[in-house]
Amino acid sequence: TNTNVLAGGLLTGMGTLTGNLNSSGTVAPGNSPGMINVVGNFTQGAAGVLNIEVGGTTAGTGYDRIAVTGNAVLDGTLNVLQFGGYVPAPPERFQIITTTGTNTGTFTTVNRPPFAAFTALAVNYHSSFTELSFPIAQVPVPLDVIVGATAAPAGTATPLFITSDRGPACLVGDMELLFYPKGAPIAVPK
């Protein structure tokens, strides 16, 4: 039997739904936080709202998740809510929707809690899951500290390591700066 959350409706709690979950209303997994298992497909329409609480690093107890045995089709609004005063630390990641099928679509609107750690929040869409990530802030480095660089071989994912007047890698405060092949600076905690 399919579960249909109509506009203005609310589905909340934990457990397993057998059949497709179709939402044009609000889905809020868990009892702060928790997990809804869907034995079928999950489809969130344009009017649908998904509320996800983030209060730790473990799915189902630290943050909300929808685990789908079929496909997930996403649209509508994602509300990310802070739970229990938890503040994520970069580069933490939270798989909020997982599928054994395919994961398609994107949320049209993403609402975040209004404080610094959540303002850097990114929503990443992969073929079998959707995740929240909290990327590390990039730190600008004055050009005069970069003395030389060693390029990675073509076609590899090996980073381009830089040397500087500060040592074998460019350290800025507690951050080590590496440049990857496409030239994007990535700051890594020391």
Side-chain angles (χ1 to χ4, degrees):
T1 302
N2 293 339
T3 301
N4 297 304
V5 183
L6 304 177
L10 171 66
L11 173 66
T12 188
M14 300 185 334
T16 300
L17 301 172
T18 302
N20 297 331
L21 171 56
N22 304 302
S23 179
S24 293
T26 300
V27 175
N31 296 320
S32 296
M35 188 178 316
I36 294 176
N37 298 295
V38 179
V39 181
N41 300 318
F42 169 59
T43 302
Q44 178 167 300
V49 176
L50 177 59
N51 291 337
I52 295 292
E53 293 176 313
V54 176
T57 59
T58 303
T61 58
Y63 67 94
D64 292 333
R65 175 182 283 175
I66 297 179
V68 182
T69 63
N71 302 318
V73 179
L74 307 178
D75 199 351
T77 299
L78 169 64
N79 292 323
V80 179
L81 309 166
Q82 181 187 26
F83 178 75
Y86 179 77
V87 177
E92 289 180 346
R93 296 177 180 274
F94 305 87
Q95 291 185 3
I96 59 170
I97 299 171
T98 58
T99 69
T100 57
T102 59
N103 185 51
T104 59
T106 60
F107 296 109
T108 306
T109 303
V110 177
N111 297 312
R112 302 160 172 84
F115 64 92
F118 280 96
T119 58
L121 167 74
V123 180
N124 306 307
Y125 303 92
H126 301 272
S127 61
S128 63
F129 63 92
T130 299
E131 73 178 356
L132 304 177
S133 66
F134 297 85
I136 298 170
Q138 295 182 3
V139 178
V141 178
L143 290 177
D144 63 342
V145 301
I146 299 174
V147 177
T150 305
T156 69
T158 305
L160 169 69
F161 292 98
I162 63 173
T163 56
S164 73
D165 59 0
R166 297 182 186 180
C170 186
L171 299 176
V172 180
D174 287 337
M175 304 299 280
E176 178 178 12
L177 186 67
L178 303 175
F179 287 84
Y180 284 80
K182 292 193 176 185
I186 306 293
V188 179
K190 189 169 114 182

